[in-house]
Amino acid sequence: MEEANTTTHVAIIPSPGIGHIIPLVEFAKRLIDHHGSFTVTFIIAGDSPPSTAHRSVLDSLPPSMSSVFLPPVDLSDVSSTAGIEARISLTVTRSIPSLRELFRSLSTEKKLPAVLLVDLFGTDAFDVAAEFHVAPYVYYTSNANVLSLLLHLPELDQTMSCEYRDMTEPVKLPGCVPITGKDFPDLFEDRNDDAYKWLLHNAKRFKEAKGILLNSFIELEPNAIKALQEPAIGKPPVYPIGPLVNLGSSTNESECLNWLDQQPHGSVLYISFGSGGTLTCEQFNELAFGLADSEKRFIWVIRSPSGVANSSYFDPQSQTDPLMFLPPGFLDRTKEKGLVVPSWAPQAQILAHPSTGGFLTHCGWNSTLESIVNGVPLIAWPLYAEQKTNALVLVDGVGAAIRAHTDEVGIVRKEEVVRVVKGLMEGEDGKVIRNKMKELKEGVVRVLSEDGYSTKSLGEVSLKWKAHQLEIEQDTTH
Ligand code: UDP
């Protein structure tokens, strides 16, 4: 193949939300650094100008990557109670005409991409890919167990007559942890809801992809991944290429890192609920009291409490000062042991710091992988999206986390906080999980090595993409 002079152009449409962009940027870096000559264009759809956190990610892209903003779409007719997923899907769907315009002008300039990569909610963009003979691919940012559930969703939807939460038996998919209705992702909760309909719509279109890239790795989910790789009609090839995570920048100075430098090795529990997670007032207080009672060291990224678990999704900065919501006396009581950080912290660097010995997480998949890469054991405290299912996979499937249990009204009480924090940081369960994490961290090094499983998987896809670029360059009609 005469690939020496050919640069392959890949276009990526991340779903709105910084949690979606970060892994795709990491993916693009990996592709460019390890798999030959590629340029990547991020095509950004939204219903408003991007947030500061969003911009800072896009402004620091390396030279072989660029970004294009599509005109913001109008979502003023969408009910304020519509779920995030419906808003995300509608944003992508309503951006299709401007995407088509963009592809038209790229085609005139002979700069069309060879590949269009979308994530979970972006499959409507496949229509434009098909019109311009651009190869459609999915980048799946979560794990193999949840991907398997999604690929089976059209069939489950046909065969189940009840709501999934009312199923009497868990769903057992090949190679996967059995999933009971209560651990299904939130989007499956109400089959009449628009969010579920959008999920089903996108899941049905997955089969149109030429391949699905998966941000997981064989040593983390061996059985689920092997089962996904069994060829079947209507199932695109699945390439496990992870874990690809944001490693942060080593030059980043911050109060947290300076504070961590002063703490004993492995002694600090890092607590964060991702880019958008928020707790109710009651839950916020229980966590605060539990942390203080545990007497362990911690860094806690706090947001102003809210009744909606993902209320900060589109903008992680709290509008009011979150410190105001801490119980009276909390800062005084914990000042020797804890650091409270409003809204946002340099998570990648915190997890890589030797003083960090545990992570209480909402189980977002990026956070999970960032912890695994650093061998940091987890407390699973899922809030929304597919986080309950991730928690199940991490606790029952992998053995990498202790689950924080809620009471009958859905609150994790302070006594439970003390149990899981002490259990992870000093108990026997913690030791077992720590050892598992150590194994997984070594596994990460193996799969991402030059000959490793994930590197080879991405190598295989990248060869297909290069071949398609050559084909379209030779086809003058493209
Ligand atoms: N993150 C961060 N600082 C914070 C909160 C989050 O750097 O204070 C980053 C985190 O490192 C991860 C991403 O934001 O890369 C969150 O993604 P994840 O999939 O864990 O959760 P989501 O935000 O999508 O729920």
Side-chain angles (χ1 to χ4, degrees), residues 16 23 25 27 32 44 55 57 77 94 132 169 181 189-190 207 240 261 299 305 367 434 437 440 456 475-476:
V25 171
F27 162 73
I32 290 167
I44 309 295
R55 272 218 177 269
V57 174
D77 60 319
R94 290 187 181 177
F132 290 86
E169 291 291 320
E189 238 157 52
D190 177 357
K207 66 174 185 304
D261 287 343
I299 291 182
S367 294
R434 204 168 299 276
M437 273 298 190
L440 288 171
K456 282 187 179 159
D475 172 4
T476 47

Side-chain angles (χ1 to χ4, degrees), residues 82-122:
I84 278 175
E85 298 77 10
R87 296 182 77 85
I88 289 176
S89 295
L90 272 172
T91 302
V92 177
T93 304
R94 290 187 181 177
S95 297
I96 297 300
S98 27
L99 180 67
R100 185 171 290 116
E101 260 326 293
L102 175 68
F103 271 36
R104 218 171 263 145
S105 68
L106 290 174
S107 171
T108 316
E109 295 165 40
K110 299 257 168 271
K111 287 186 179 158
L112 262 184
V115 173
L116 180 68
L117 189 62
V118 305
D119 58 17
L120 172 57
F121 298 106

Side-chain angles (χ1 to χ4, degrees), residues 18 42 107 166 197 205 223 231 248 264 273 292 296 340-342 387 439 454 466-467 473:
I18 191 159
F42 285 94
S107 171
D166 298 327
K197 290 178 187 156
R205 296 202 71 173
N223 300 330
F273 297 95
K296 294 287 160 208
V340 172
V341 184
Q387 293 153 15
E439 257 175 50
S454 295
K466 286 174 189 172
E473 280 177 16

Side-chain angles (χ1 to χ4, degrees), residues 206-227:
F206 270 26
K207 66 174 185 304
E208 295 168 43
K210 293 267 181 229
I212 300 177
L213 284 66
L214 172 68
N215 196 8
S216 186
F217 62 107
I218 193 82
E219 299 192 26
L220 182 64
E221 302 178 276
N223 300 330
I225 289 178
K226 279 181 204 144

Side-chain angles (χ1 to χ4, degrees), residues 18-20 22 246 270 272-277 301 303 313 343-348 351 361-368 370 384 387:
I18 191 159
H20 293 120
I22 291 173
N246 166 26
Y270 169 61
S272 167
F273 297 95
S275 59
V301 184
R303 305 230 165 82
Y313 187 81
S343 298
W344 193 258
Q347 176 163 312
L351 289 171
T361 173
H362 71 319
C363 303
W365 197 241
N366 295 306
S367 294
T368 303
E370 286 162 17
Y384 60 95
Q387 293 153 15

Side-chain angles (χ1 to χ4, degrees), residues 260-274:
L260 276 172
D261 287 343
Q262 315 303 315
Q263 311 306 316
H265 188 274
S267 68
V268 176
L269 177 72
Y270 169 61
I271 301 146
S272 167
F273 297 95

